[in-house]
Amino acid sequence: MYKILIEVHYKMKRGMRDAFLREVMPYADMSRGENGNISYNYYLNPNDDDELLLIEKWRDDEILSTHFSADHFVQIGHIKEKYVEDTVVTKHYVNDTPF
């Protein structure tokens, strides 16, 4: 069965990564609690304090569309305006069938 994997690469404003994470985590927890969310995790780049990676996994496109209209998703957008310089998002369809 195919799932959706969203890869979000953030380039933070200089020195703002930790402040962003502190402010965004309550909203990330709300995303994790959404119906159809499989995982929602941030990863730090040990070589660049101004880079951050978010990997999200969702059950299907319908669920993902619902996520995009959620109030907490809108709030994350407002937080990004304060802390994020650039964002690159890639959407993948992945096969969850074991090899």
Side-chain angles (χ1 to χ4, degrees):
M1 176 164 200
Y2 287 93
K3 306 286 190 227
I4 299 167
L5 185 129
I6 305 291
E7 215 182 302
V8 185
H9 294 264
Y10 294 109
K11 180 66 175 174
M12 310 305 295
K13 293 178 182 174
R14 189 158 211 57
M16 292 290 151
R17 184 179 72 187
D18 292 343
F20 171 78
L21 284 169
R22 277 192 300 275
E23 193 166 338
V24 82
M25 275 309 168
Y27 301 103
D29 289 340
M30 290 177 197
S31 293
R32 286 184 190 101
E34 284 183 66
N35 178 43
N37 177 261
I38 298 165
S39 64
Y40 193 99
N41 297 299
Y42 287 95
Y43 299 90
L44 307 179
N45 180 340
N47 299 313
D48 188 338
D49 290 341
D50 295 323
E51 286 187 3
L52 183 64
L53 174 64
L54 168 61
I55 301 290
E56 309 174 39
K57 196 170 187 184
W58 297 89
R59 187 175 66 217
D60 57 43
D61 278 308
E62 184 178 338
I63 292 293
L64 187 57
S65 293
T66 301
H67 167 66
F68 289 152
S69 64
D71 289 341
H72 58 273
F73 180 83
V74 174
Q75 291 303 317
I76 290 171
H78 295 309
I79 294 168
K80 283 175 52 178
E81 290 174 7
K82 293 194 289 187
Y83 300 107
V84 177
E85 186 175 295
D86 190 36
T87 306
V88 176
V89 179
T90 307
K91 181 179 180 181
H92 306 275
Y93 290 91
V94 295
N95 187 344
D96 266 1
T97 306
F99 291 103

